[in-house]
């Protein structure tokens, strides 16, 4: 009764780009690539904690928050808005040892 089915890993880059476009970002392709790169680096470099989530649900939540920030602060650049959303959502979750690593990654990707 059980039939095999194929599963595929979601394309985070494509999902991020489309979500940013839907939220009104004009530089969605570049920002989506930076966003996915940061998520991948965080997953690799930060300590392994049970409450760290680098999956699709966390990604979509941050992109939704970035969209809200874009609508509430139209005078800021899109890079500043996405960087702020990433920082505001993730920093409260981090243990002290991961603060400097994350802020270094943010500063490298969003100069």
């Amino acid at each position: 009764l059980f039939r095999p089915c194929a599963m595929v890993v979601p394309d985070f880059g494509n999902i991020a780009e489309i979500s940013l476009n839907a939220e009104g970002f004009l530089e969605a392709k570049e920002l989506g690539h930076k966003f996915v790169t940061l998520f991948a680096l965080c997953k690799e470099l930060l300590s392994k904690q049970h409450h760290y989530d680098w999956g699709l649900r966390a990604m979509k939540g941050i992109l939704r928050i970035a969209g809200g920030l874009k609508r509430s602060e139209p005078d800021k650049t899109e890079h500043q808005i996405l960087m702020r959303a990433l920082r505001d959502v993730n920093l409260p979750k981090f243990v002290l040892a991961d603060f400097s690593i994350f802020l270094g990654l943010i500063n490298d990707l969003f100069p």
Side-chain angles (χ1 to χ4, degrees):
L1 288 173
F2 293 105
R3 296 184 180 142
C5 65
M7 305 274 299
V8 209
V9 176
D11 182 357
F12 280 49
N14 197 17
I15 293 170
E17 180 184 344
I18 290 168
S19 296
L20 287 168
N21 270 324
E23 294 290 352
F25 284 79
L26 301 175
E27 301 174 39
K29 189 169 190 77
E30 177 190 354
L31 291 173
H33 178 69
K34 286 184 176 192
F35 184 90
V36 171
T37 301
L38 179 70
F39 253 51
L41 288 171
C42 285
K43 190 174 185 176
E44 289 177 26
L45 298 176
L46 298 182
S47 64
K48 308 300 181 224
Q49 302 290 327
H50 290 290
H51 61 280
Y52 287 3
D53 182 11
W54 307 113
L56 191 57
R57 181 181 307 149
M59 184 181 96
K60 288 288 291 177
I62 293 170
L63 294 173
R64 238 179 275 114
I65 289 169
L69 287 172
K70 181 168 177 54
R71 287 185 291 280
S72 67
E73 300 179 21
D75 56 320
K76 301 270 187 194
T77 68
E78 292 182 345
H79 282 78
Q80 289 174 324
I81 291 169
L82 186 59
M83 181 182 73
R84 181 174 168 204
L86 282 161
R87 189 190 64 214
D88 291 354
V89 170
N90 287 312
L91 278 183
K93 296 190 280 193
F94 291 150
V95 295
L96 190 58
D98 291 334
F99 267 67
S100 59
I101 297 169
F102 181 76
L103 292 176
L105 291 172
I106 285 273
N107 289 332
D108 287 346
L109 286 170
F110 297 94

